[in-house]
Amino acid sequence: MKISLCPVDKSNYEAVCDLEVREDQEDYVASNMWSLVEAQFNSGYETRAISCDDKVVGFLMWVQETSDKTAIWRFMLDIKHQNKGIGRQALAQAIEQIKQTPELKQIEICYNPNNPVAKDFYSSFGFVEIGMDDDDEDMLAIIKL
């Protein structure tokens, strides 16, 4: 199984938009189509298609919010490709790519505190919860570099 992250472009954006999650995950994941629109019209947004053996199976987007902080805003795997270790490999690759940012001191991610697997999954990468976001809706977790 070869997992890779590829920039979203003309050749793969439709496949990214066609990805789906389980019904019980829909409240936790933003629309990939909306995310691609956001990235098109805002600077500092990086989008990646997650590929498994050259087939698009997921999506990631991160945003450099300040010179020393990048936040992972989107991370999802298609329903047919979950629980196979693909997400773990993809997130590890994304973190390594993000770490290449000059002056970076912090990587941030947020997730719904009611999401049963998020805390353990993200903490296994070194993310440490720091509290709820400004809207008191999502848990913030960071990796300090």
Side-chain angles (χ1 to χ4, degrees), residues 6 20 35 73 128:
C6 316
E20 297 178 351
S35 298
W73 281 15
V128 176

Side-chain angles (χ1 to χ4, degrees), residues 33-123:
M33 188 179 303
W34 175 250
S35 298
L36 293 177
V37 169
E38 278 185 299
Q40 182 65 33
F41 294 103
N42 292 284
S43 62
Y45 287 44
E46 293 287 334
T47 59
R48 298 291 186 275
I50 301 168
S51 294
C52 177
D53 298 328
D54 298 322
K55 177 182 168 100
V56 174
V57 298
F59 175 69
L60 270 155
M61 181 171 82
W62 60 83
V63 179
Q64 188 169 353
E65 294 184 337
T66 65
S67 63
D68 64 354
K69 180 176 91 172
T70 294
I72 299 171
W73 281 15
R74 306 286 188 269
F75 176 44
M76 63 83 65
L77 276 180
D78 186 83
I79 188 171
K80 296 178 210 122
H81 302 281
Q82 295 179 9
N83 299 311
K84 298 178 181 177
I86 297 169
R88 181 165 295 285
Q89 289 184 51
L91 186 58
Q93 288 180 32
I95 290 169
E96 287 309 308
Q97 286 185 24
I98 293 167
K99 283 181 176 179
Q100 303 309 309
T101 306
E103 300 177 36
L104 188 70
K105 293 188 173 96
Q106 179 177 304
I107 301 172
E108 177 182 276
I109 198 159
C110 64
Y111 49 88
N112 186 310
N114 298 321
N115 184 331
V117 298
K119 179 180 180 173
D120 290 340
F121 180 74
Y122 294 125
S123 67

Side-chain angles (χ1 to χ4, degrees), residues 13-29:
Y13 79 92
E14 287 184 55
V16 167
C17 291
D18 289 341
L19 297 169
E20 297 178 351
V21 292
R22 292 190 327 252
E23 192 173 322
D24 65 311
Q25 296 171 323
E26 289 176 358
D27 290 341
Y28 303 135
V29 180

Side-chain angles (χ1 to χ4, degrees), residues 2-14:
K2 179 182 172 243
I3 309 304
S4 58
L5 302 183
C6 316
V8 178
D9 60 21
K10 191 174 182 176
S11 71
N12 62 13
Y13 79 92
E14 287 184 55

